[in-house]
Amino acid sequence: MPANTALDAQAPPGAEVPPSEAVTPLIRGIAVLRQLTEAGGTLSPSALERATGLARSTVDRITATLARMGYVRLDGRDAVLAPRVMELGNAYLAALRLPALLDARADALADELDESVSLAVADRDGIRFIHQATRRRAMSLSFRIGDLLPAERTAPGPLFAAEWTEADWARWHTRRAADPQDRTFTAVPPREHPRTRATHATNAADAAGAVDGTDHANSAESADSADSADSADEVFVRQAARAAADGWALDDQLIEPGLVALAVPVRDPHTDRVACAASVVSHTSRHTAADLRDTLLPRLRAAVAEMEADLRDAPPPRPGPPPSGLATWTTASKHELGRDFIESLARGLTVLTAFGEGRSALTLTEVAKATGLARATARRALITYEYLGLVTAAPDRTFTLTPRVLSLGFAPLARTTLPRLAAPHLRALADRLNEPVSLAVLTGSGAGQEIQYTARATTARVLTVDITVGTRLPADATSLGRVLLADAPGSLPDPLTEVRARGYALVDEELESGLRAIAVPVRDRTGRAVAAVNVATHAARRSLEDCVTTVLPELAETAAHIQSDLGTASRFTAVPLV
Ligand code: PHB
């Protein structure tokens, strides 16, 4: 299957020609987002041209539009995925509701077992991660939320395949034949030569046989049978049947040597179908595959039983407010940017954000209402998404997002940190003010609390404050420390009460003669001040009044941008503060 044009790269097999009502600019914009995702988040314009088959001028207009939406950032000439794009994947994850209901159980299981635990859903003939509770280990690659893996090389795969229809199996065979080495699955190493792979499998089969006296294992079988792609595929067919009977499945180093996983299905209590799979993931230096099953299966099953109870007892979803003013916003942007803003792309993308918790199945009317788009516009966007496999239409005329929405920028940002989120905003402010800008967090406790600098954007001035990332200073002596201390629950000394009331801290030549600094807090989704951002200057450069009237509003705006990115990124992933 050629995958070198925007249309081909997006088309599900058998649907090469887009329906006549599909929105071409939307198809192209989605192709750009997917190529950026596959590339790990950054591409030059010429690399985007090559990857999508689009003309340079088209690529430029698409990236300008995505930049306006906050979905990409233009870094020099490169397009870089920006945190705001995660709102697309967030819409899917919120609508799905499984992360909100099950993440805490998966995290607790990972803590209990001291092994990584993940949740994955079926995505056609692949599996896609919707949660990762990862242990840091020296050895092992770990996947991100949004990564897509070929079903037959994973533990959850056989559990999902146990429910496949003939058409699903046919699609899988077609894909296997078209891509025998899994090159289209950029999250996994390409398949090794079948013989190499069979070596691991033989070990696994031996190990499993030694434990329970049989030679079955949900892993690839003997060296002989794995000799050709065809017989390797037969193995997966048997694994799926086995998984249906056993209620668990193993991945014995099917992705890479050393990586082993055990998965159990989490069933939807209302339909009894597999909603997602919970996997325990380890390394052969800790557990062989058979050992993983023998020692951890009971505990994994117990956790899954609790997950299923949680799904059964879940309160009805609470629909949040639909996004507002989107259509108005795109019109304003069109007026401002003119030809460089592709309104049909921006409008089409807003359709995805109409979905969310309690808004998982929407009619055309509901989508139009939520986005403020004309019905005809919303309808064409939905037709486009259905063609692209991002939305499915049910017989009751409602539309639902598919896991494929996570292929739009999510994974490359799923492992970001607060310093990385903040960096472009700090840079922009430092450039605007021509003053150094810093981000810091509070460390330690009690009287000896310190701040630690976690990100900085400096300027070319000769006289600047000599601080680097990692530097620690006493919290109570610095503007950064004071805004953070002022957020502490409980009673505060008077000066901090004042800082809290004002919302900023100004330190004037207290730490060092001539040094003037002003700081504001950066809050997480719960409202807690988790970091602070400041501008440092010299008394000779800016008066106190200038700090408050000129610097403070700019600083507050920067903090708001960082906070908004943190809020988007941390909705379904843990964003480390350091
Ligand atoms: C993972 O969560 O990283 C994982 C899960 C199942 C597999 C492989 C990896 O089969």
Side-chain angles (χ1 to χ4, degrees), residues 197-205 215-226 231-232 234-236 238-239 242 254:
R197 193 177 143 255
T199 312
H200 308 305
T202 308
N203 296 341
D215 65 357
H216 92 264
N218 286 312
S219 60
E221 288 174 355
S222 74
D224 290 341
S225 68
S231 52
E234 281 165 29
V235 171
F236 183 56
R238 279 200 294 280
Q239 283 174 355
R242 190 101 231 171
L254 297 171

Side-chain angles (χ1 to χ4, degrees), residues 118 127 129 132 142-143 149 153-156 251 255 259 261 279 281:
S118 62
I127 73 153
F129 292 108
Q132 283 284 349
S142 69
F143 295 104
L149 274 52
R153 285 174 72 188
T154 68
D251 157 10
I255 291 166
L259 182 70
S279 305
V281 189

Side-chain angles (χ1 to χ4, degrees), residues 418 440-442 480 483-488 520-532 563 566 577:
L418 181 59
V441 295
L442 209 51
L480 291 159
V483 283
L484 289 168
L485 292 173
D487 194 61
V520 298
V522 173
R523 299 183 185 279
D524 68 9
R525 294 176 63 82
T526 69
R528 193 170 71 91
V530 290
Q563 216 161 274
L566 176 62
L577 299 177

Side-chain angles (χ1 to χ4, degrees), residues 106-107 109-117 133-135 137 280-283 286-287 292 296:
D107 295 348
L109 182 64
D111 287 341
E112 179 197 324
L113 304 179
D114 192 28
E115 299 285 355
S116 296
V117 171
T134 312
R135 305 285 101 174
R137 300 251 195 265
V280 177
V281 189
S282 191
H283 191 272
R286 293 169 59 83
H287 291 284
L292 196 63
L296 301 185

